[in-house]
Amino acid sequence: MSAINKNPDRDWVKQRLIGASLCVLIVFSLLFLRLVYLQLIKGAEFRRLSQTNCVRLKSIKSSRGLIYDRDNRLVVDNRPAFDLTIVLEDSGPVKETISRLSLLIDEPYEELMDSIEKAGKSAFYTPMILKRDISRDQLAIVEAHQFDLPGIHIDVKPTRHYIYEKTAAHLLGYLGQINRKELESGQYPNVRAGDSIGRYGVEKSFESFLQGKRGGRQVEVDVNGRVIKVLKTVEPVSGKDLHLTLDLILQKRAEKLLAGKDGCVVAIDPGNGDVLVMASTPSFDQNDFIGGISSKKWRALMDDPGRPMNNKAIQAEYPPASTYKILTAMAGLEEQVIDRNSRFHCPGFYKFGNRRYHCWNRHGHGDIDVVDSLAQSCDVFFYQTGEKLGVDILAQYARGSGLGRPTGIRLAHERSGLIPTAAWKKKRFKEAWQAGETLSISIGQGFNLVTPLQMAVFISAVGNGGALYKPRIVKSVRDAKGNVVKAIEPEITGGLPTSKENLAIVKNGLLKVVHGDRGTARRIRIKDIDIAGKTGTAQVFSRKAGEKFDNKKLERTMQDHAWFVCYAPAKNPKIGISVIIEHGEHGSSAAAPVAMELIKTYLGGTNTDIMVLPANEAKQE
Amino acid sequence: MFDRRLIENFDWGFLGVISLICSAGLVILYSAVTAGADSAALHTLLKKQMIWMGAGFVIMAGSLIIDFRELDKLNLFIYVICVGLLISTYLFGQMGGGSRRWLVMGAVRMQPSELMKISLIISLAAVYSDNVVSQEGLGFRNLIKPLILCLIPFALIVKQPDLGTGLLLMLIAGSITFFVKVQKKVIFTLAGIGLAIVPLVWFFGLKEYQKGRILTFLNPDRDPLGAGYHIIQSKIAIGSGMITGKGFLQGTQNALNFLPEQHTDFILSVLAEEWGLVGCGVFLILYLILLFWGLNIAYACRSMFGSILAFGITVMIFWQIFINIGMVMGLMPVVGVPLPLISYGGSSVVTNMVGFGILLNISMRKFTKS
């Protein structure tokens, strides 16, 4: 048996190489034959096609998925926009064509020429946009004069339309043109330069569903660039529709109630975490973003001290103020530092060390138990409860109740809030925790920060018996035929760290906030519906303990934020609400009425002053 | 001590063929970049290409000093460096068109997957020439090591993702292995395994767009907006050249930017449009001469390592030519494989030049036995 090793056997190598050479020859013959076929047999035909350059590619934009509210009311749809385009190579003397066009549609000649220059050099035979979104009248004129306007075309494009303008702007979000970096990232395979993608809100977080797939046509055109034959077509695939948990009527009502104020309302279905309302004011009009927002408008939005571009429900952090007493009570009962019958004496202040910590009620609440302390928001009772618990135990309960961490809602930019501990302060300020600071913390002042959404989830959990839901904004994603592509199920992220018995005590207190004779929110009582809640007044800047200002004399921006969190009906809650009115001063007078109105609208069915298109009609629009 | 015979034996003819193709390549590239819409930007590409070619020639000349048999000893070292470069590309590489293929070192942007081809050829030549192979060919045992050598870079390149280059690597490796000869039962077994694996790869291994490309190739109407349109325009360009072409710089398909990537993957369309069947025929013949010359160098070499090495490099050039031309003529799926010495691209030029350097090296030392 002969073997091949380092010094090859000539014959053997020769035999292998002849085989290889034959393969090369065969392949090259094949390639040559293909050339002969293309250049000789089909040559004349291809020559003709190349001379007229008549095979073009026309892209067909897909339409973005629609967005509905929880009752199938259309909230966001698409409308056709007519863009005027020009193919320079087809338009003969461009200046002549443009001046004719300018006369016909009554647009300044310079502006039209400008847009050609701005578009810069593009690939040949690629249409350039002369003017976006022309009016119906202009459209009619251009179509009637097609033959006088060589190279001018109308490009119909589905464009986003926010039917109710500013409604739920923060939740729905807006679109913006994709930038180069995003294009190159490869994350958006179906998106091309000039296309828009979701930039904010659900438009952003559900981009992959909403975005459709672009289609196009191979067409043969004549010398004027007019299509004479469609060779091949790929139909665009429209995006999937979103069905939100949002209640459009309630949302509009909330926005109306917030009008003229800076603030935020979040309402949640305590039974499943559905976000019924998420309103933040001031707001913005998403339609302004279509086709690119003007820098003037953008500046105005950015410079507005009311921060209209911020979704205050998730991006703003406030001290929870007295609403935090719910938590302090819960922790106190659970840790057994107080019980249902514990009473503390409130003379209007609490002496701690050599300082006096005041109750909001200078006259004092007298001997008071936990239920009445919640109802009347007695500070002294909670100073003492907090003092017995200590900051770290309080923080443990706060975190267990979903505060100080993102709720996990599918919206970008959610803030986590802040729940301080002794270790946190050491790390942050390199200072030891002062026992006095615990007193501030236990009534929700001091370092504590929460978002309105966290409070809504928290109060809903109190109402539903302890389940912390991940707030859900989209119930299902469906295709055009209505088939569910993806269902998003309610999700429980944890439970309140409390027993049913202790929770019942707290709930009793919250009910008395509205329905007790001396409850802080007794003015919002309504017929037939029990509301349980808690008011709060958050200091905008910290003052020394015991220091008292005449709020009326302060500038508006220095005035306190008004909180109200509640759920209703108290027995079997259908809605949990968190309201904050910035610089609204008192929870009871500024925030609580907003919640009451919403409850009336939602549970009482009174919604006379809100204009909403019926579900079917909106769809046809 | 320098051996005079090395100069006497220098393969001037082969160098001549390479230089001829390079010059022609620059002329076609000139044509491709001149007519484009943004010709100023593209002209810098021409300059860059000339610099790369110059650098290629220098590297080629420099590499002649070292005896190619040193590569036999250094093969593992080179292999490890190249795999290292691939891993760094994976970790620090620059993104481009959705994949991570380039490694940036100062002003130089290189594609380590290109160099990997040469490195793998050297390693396989070293492994196979060391083995004592029976007349029936390589058995299963002989294939374990080569297979491992292939799979590591293959996995890294496919991960980039660059399926085209990965498959090219496997084609080259496979060709070399078949050249050395494989036992019949091994062939049948591998074919069987291959048939079983294909569906698995299809369903679990390929990305959607990769499947799309293959389906589009089988049925061009499937993607009339992407590859389908490119192929149509490329075919119009080639076909419209007819027998003698439209003339230098007269190609309309090229000029009007109907061709995608006319300076890289689709450069043959420019050649075919402007020079017609005659020009293409001449080019095919030039390539054919190049390949036969390479095979002849493999034949003339007295060492098994040299023969396999020469064959491997020739086969690398062959596959690139075949795949690229097949692709622009609509005979193959659209994969990003450049046309050797013609397409724009630094890494590709340098890699091919290094390859030719090794061929010249083998050629001038063919009479020295190992």
Side-chain angles (χ1 to χ4, degrees):
Chain A
M1 190 167 77
S2 79
I4 320 143
N5 49 31
K6 290 216 171 191
N7 293 309
D9 176 338
R10 293 289 83 202
D11 287 343
W12 184 84
V13 173
K14 193 174 176 180
Q15 170 223 329
R16 305 300 295 165
L17 281 170
I18 287 173
S21 306
L22 269 176
C23 290
V24 172
L25 261 183
I26 293 169
V27 166
F28 269 62
S29 311
L30 245 159
L31 293 179
F32 190 74
L33 283 178
R34 177 70 176 175
L35 275 174
V36 168
Y37 170 76
L38 290 175
Q39 298 187 303
L40 274 185
I41 300 174
K42 303 272 269 183
E45 188 188 331
F46 284 132
R47 178 67 66 95
R48 182 186 67 79
L49 286 171
S50 86
Q51 271 159 354
T52 42
N53 280 311
C54 60
V55 180
R56 308 259 180 92
L57 209 54
K58 299 222 166 201
S59 141
I60 316 171
K61 217 182 149 192
S62 61
S63 60
R64 206 171 161 83
L66 307 178
I67 304 181
Y68 297 89
D69 89 334
R70 67 186 294 113
D71 295 320
N72 292 324
R73 296 183 194 97
L74 192 60
V75 187
V76 182
D77 75 343
N78 304 301
R79 63 176 173 83
F82 302 95
D83 291 347
L84 205 54
T85 66
I86 183 167
V87 174
L88 291 180
E89 291 77 11
D90 292 338
S91 74
V94 175
K95 286 182 180 171
E96 257 175 53
T97 309
I98 294 289
S99 68
R100 214 173 302 140
L101 177 73
S102 135
L103 281 175
L104 283 170
I105 62 167
D106 197 22
E107 290 284 342
Y109 171 81
E110 291 75 23
E111 263 176 42
L112 294 173
M113 287 306 280
D114 232 35
S115 49
I116 293 180
E117 255 155 52
K118 256 193 225 151
K121 281 184 212 160
S122 67
F124 284 75
Y125 290 105
T126 309
M128 287 180 194
I129 291 186
L130 274 179
K131 187 164 170 48
R132 284 182 197 278
D133 213 354
I134 58 170
S135 70
R136 299 254 169 183
D137 293 343
Q138 290 174 321
L139 172 71
I141 293 169
V142 172
E143 282 194 332
H145 291 81
Q146 267 284 295
F147 281 88
D148 303 333
L149 301 168
I152 303 281
H153 304 280
I154 303 281
D155 195 9
V156 189
K157 229 169 39 180
T159 301
R160 211 60 167 156
H161 177 45
Y162 299 92
I163 301 172
Y164 301 100
E165 281 155 12
K166 292 184 171 187
T167 298
H170 297 98
L171 179 74
L172 297 170
Y174 55 83
L175 306 178
Q177 262 191 16
I178 189 161
N179 61 38
R180 237 179 98 181
K181 222 172 155 187
E182 288 161 331
L183 267 176
E184 282 170 2
S185 73
Q187 266 183 293
Y188 304 93
N190 295 320
V191 181
R192 301 225 196 133
D195 284 357
S196 291
I197 53 168
R199 282 262 171 259
Y200 194 71
V202 287
E203 292 271 31
K204 178 187 166 98
S205 35
F206 288 83
E207 172 67 28
S208 58
F209 294 106
L210 289 166
Q211 191 189 95
K213 214 173 153 193
R214 177 187 283 279
R217 288 193 183 97
Q218 269 182 25
V219 294
E220 215 177 308
V221 294
D222 67 8
V223 280
N224 285 323
R226 271 175 275 274
V227 176
I228 45 177
K229 199 164 117 197
V230 175
L231 300 177
K232 276 161 200 160
T233 307
V234 174
E235 293 301 335
V237 180
S238 38
K240 306 285 180 287
D241 298 340
L242 297 187
H243 288 255
L244 302 181
T245 58
L246 189 81
D247 185 312
L248 183 63
I249 289 175
L250 208 57
Q251 175 77 19
K252 292 207 76 158
R253 183 89 186 110
E255 284 170 10
K256 201 157 187 188
L257 292 164
L258 286 181
K261 304 178 180 109
D262 295 352
C264 165
V265 174
V266 182
I268 281 180
D269 182 337
N272 53 20
D274 280 4
V275 175
L276 303 169
V277 170
M278 183 177 280
S280 174
T281 51
S283 185
F284 58 91
D285 188 345
Q286 305 126 288
N287 291 306
D288 287 346
F289 287 82
I290 290 157
I293 189 166
S294 70
S295 55
K296 201 176 134 200
K297 274 185 179 162
W298 178 250
R299 263 274 57 90
L301 285 171
M302 293 323 277
D303 291 345
D304 189 327
R307 293 165 290 138
M309 296 306 296
N310 261 25
N311 182 357
K312 296 192 169 78
I314 58 171
Q315 288 175 268
E317 296 167 310
Y318 304 94
S322 299
T323 60
Y324 203 70
K325 288 172 184 164
I326 304 168
L327 202 118
T328 308
M330 234 165 60
L333 291 165
E334 204 61 26
E335 292 292 311
Q336 296 174 350
V337 301
I338 53 170
D339 61 28
R340 172 68 187 88
N341 301 314
S342 309
R343 286 175 170 274
F344 293 128
H345 181 71
C346 170
F349 62 87
Y350 179 59
K351 220 168 154 216
F352 182 79
N354 49 10
R355 267 162 65 179
R356 278 180 170 199
Y357 286 79
H358 284 278
C359 187
W360 68 269
N361 183 347
R362 292 247 149 180
H363 309 294
H365 292 99
D367 278 349
I368 192 161
D369 66 6
V370 59
V371 169
D372 284 323
S373 295
L374 280 169
Q376 297 173 36
S377 206
C378 173
D379 290 333
V380 170
F381 184 91
F382 291 103
Y383 287 146
Q384 296 183 60
T385 309
E387 184 194 345
K388 290 182 179 24
L389 287 165
V391 63
D392 291 337
I393 298 280
L394 266 173
Q396 206 181 304
Y397 277 85
R399 290 192 158 272
S401 303
L403 306 180
R405 59 179 160 100
T407 62
I409 192 168
R410 276 184 78 169
L411 289 173
H413 316 296
E414 188 184 8
R415 305 287 296 255
S416 59
L418 172 66
I419 296 303
T421 58
W424 167 83
K425 192 185 170 198
K426 189 91 198 155
K427 205 173 150 203
R428 175 78 176 72
F429 296 106
K430 315 233 173 333
E431 273 175 41
W433 187 266
Q434 306 291 312
E437 288 172 317
T438 308
L439 303 196
S440 299
I441 294 296
S442 48
I443 62 159
Q445 308 289 359
F447 298 115
N448 278 312
L449 289 173
V450 295
T451 66
L453 179 64
Q454 284 170 343
M455 287 311 282
V457 171
F458 172 61
I459 197 68
S460 298
V462 172
N464 73 22
L468 288 161
Y469 279 95
K470 180 166 162 178
R472 181 170 71 149
I473 41 177
V474 173
K475 274 203 278 198
S476 61
V477 180
R478 299 188 200 179
D479 64 16
K481 284 179 194 144
N483 302 317
V484 174
V485 179
K486 185 182 166 75
I488 296 163
E489 300 300 333
E491 197 181 322
I492 293 178
T493 59
L496 293 179
T498 175
S499 66
K500 291 264 180 251
E501 295 73 35
N502 287 335
L503 192 63
I505 297 168
V506 171
K507 289 171 85 167
N508 192 6
L510 297 182
L511 187 64
K512 278 184 92 173
V513 167
V514 180
H515 297 276
D517 292 339
R518 299 176 69 184
T520 52
R522 59 187 177 277
R523 275 175 293 180
I524 66 158
R525 248 176 252 174
I526 44 179
K527 223 182 127 211
D528 300 334
I529 304 166
D530 287 346
I531 302 173
K534 184 74 198 77
T535 54
T537 303
Q539 292 163 4
V540 169
F541 65 106
S542 62
R543 32 196 110 172
K544 288 188 194 112
E547 206 174 336
K548 192 76 186 166
F549 288 90
D550 186 354
N551 272 330
K552 301 236 157 44
K553 282 185 191 153
L554 286 171
E555 273 184 52
R556 198 184 86 87
T557 53
M558 307 283 266
Q559 280 166 0
D560 298 338
H561 297 324
W563 270 109
F564 189 64
V565 296
C566 68
Y567 55 87
K571 282 227 173 62
N572 182 21
K574 295 271 179 271
I575 186 168
I577 305 177
S578 140
V579 182
I580 186 152
I581 307 291
E582 290 183 358
H583 317 299
E585 292 190 69
H586 295 296
S588 55
S589 57
V594 173
M596 175 198 70
E597 291 295 335
L598 286 182
I599 289 166
K600 269 208 283 192
T601 307
Y602 192 62
L603 300 176
T606 51
N607 56 348
T608 45
D609 55 343
I610 292 156
M611 210 286 291
V612 163
L613 294 168
N616 294 332
E617 211 172 290
K619 202 170 179 176
Q620 283 160 9
E621 244 319 90
Chain B
M1 208 203 78
F2 195 75
D3 192 340
R4 272 189 61 84
R5 278 187 306 170
L6 290 182
I7 296 187
E8 280 159 19
N9 284 334
F10 186 77
D11 202 339
W12 293 103
F14 192 57
L15 185 67
V17 177
I18 296 166
S19 311
L20 205 60
I21 297 179
C22 280
S23 326
L26 286 176
V27 173
I28 302 166
L29 188 64
Y30 176 77
S31 200
V33 300
T34 301
D38 198 1
S39 54
L42 290 171
H43 266 287
T44 61
L45 295 186
L46 186 69
K47 273 190 213 146
K48 275 192 184 168
Q49 181 81 341
M50 290 168 91
I51 294 171
W52 280 116
M53 278 193 175
F57 271 106
V58 171
I59 296 171
M60 185 170 88
S63 66
L64 294 179
I65 299 167
I66 314 161
D67 191 320
F68 73 88
R69 273 159 300 196
E70 295 295 318
L71 296 174
D72 195 355
K73 294 167 204 154
L74 289 173
N75 83 80
L76 209 64
F77 177 70
I78 300 171
Y79 181 86
V80 168
I81 287 183
C82 284
V83 168
L85 284 174
L86 277 179
I87 293 173
S88 355
T89 311
Y90 180 65
L91 297 176
F92 321 107
Q94 203 177 60
M95 294 294 290
S99 66
R100 205 176 279 278
R101 295 180 189 175
W102 286 272
L103 204 55
V104 180
M105 290 173 292
V108 182
R109 238 165 69 106
M110 63 166 293
Q111 233 174 313
S113 52
E114 285 287 329
L115 287 180
M116 193 67 227
K117 293 180 200 159
I118 300 263
S119 162
L120 187 67
I121 294 168
I122 296 172
S123 294
L124 289 179
V127 171
Y128 289 141
S129 63
D130 265 358
N131 272 333
V132 174
V133 181
S134 71
Q135 197 67 45
E136 289 86 63
L138 299 161
F140 282 112
R141 257 160 200 265
N142 308 104
L143 287 176
I144 296 171
K145 200 171 164 190
L147 196 66
I148 294 170
L149 287 173
C150 292
L151 285 180
I152 294 170
F154 176 75
L156 284 167
I157 292 170
V158 169
K159 189 94 192 145
Q160 286 179 349
D162 185 357
L163 190 64
T165 308
L167 287 178
L168 187 60
L169 206 66
M170 292 311 250
L171 276 177
I172 296 168
S175 309
I176 297 174
T177 310
F178 275 99
F179 171 70
V180 176
K181 199 168 184 180
V182 183
Q183 287 173 8
K184 286 223 167 59
K185 64 172 182 190
V186 175
I187 296 176
F188 289 130
T189 317
L190 286 181
I193 293 174
L195 283 178
I197 282 181
V198 165
L200 285 179
V201 170
W202 180 264
F203 288 111
F204 304 108
L206 293 181
K207 293 214 156 72
E208 244 357 272
Y209 79 93
Q210 292 168 332
K211 285 188 204 171
R213 276 195 195 158
I214 295 167
L215 289 174
T216 302
F217 164 66
L218 296 173
N219 172 22
D221 287 351
R222 199 182 152 274
D223 182 20
L225 309 179
Y229 181 70
H230 292 161
I231 286 299
I232 272 214
Q233 294 295 355
S234 176
K235 272 156 70 176
I236 291 177
I238 295 173
S240 69
M242 301 177 77
I243 300 179
T244 51
K246 296 175 184 168
F248 184 49
L249 298 183
Q250 303 300 311
T252 52
Q253 284 293 106
N254 169 35
L256 298 177
N257 268 9
F258 276 111
L259 292 174
E261 307 270 327
Q262 79 261 40
H263 58 287
T264 57
D265 295 349
F266 280 82
I267 197 156
L268 184 89
S269 316
V270 178
L271 167 75
E273 187 181 16
E274 301 193 346
W275 302 95
L277 186 61
V278 175
C280 288
V282 169
F283 232 90
L284 283 184
I285 290 170
L286 277 178
Y287 270 141
L288 208 54
I289 293 173
L290 186 80
L291 293 175
F292 278 146
W293 209 299
L295 292 178
N296 194 49
I297 290 172
Y299 173 64
C301 184
R302 293 292 174 85
S303 90
M304 190 64 188
F305 172 71
S307 283
I308 300 176
L309 188 57
F311 176 83
I313 288 163
T314 310
V315 103
M316 169 181 90
I317 304 291
F318 165 77
W319 280 119
Q320 293 182 66
I321 295 170
F322 175 48
I323 294 173
N324 179 282
I325 299 184
M327 168 184 86
V328 296
M329 294 199 303
L331 287 173
M332 287 219 157
V334 176
V335 285
V337 172
L339 192 58
L341 302 182
I342 316 287
S343 288
Y344 171 78
S347 303
S348 156
V349 167
V350 169
T351 304
N352 289 324
M353 286 307 220
V354 169
F356 292 131
I358 294 173
L359 280 177
L360 281 170
N361 197 322
I362 297 169
S363 177
M364 64 200 251
R365 291 182 172 90
K366 60 191 163 195
F367 299 114
T368 42
K369 285 196 173 184
S370 61

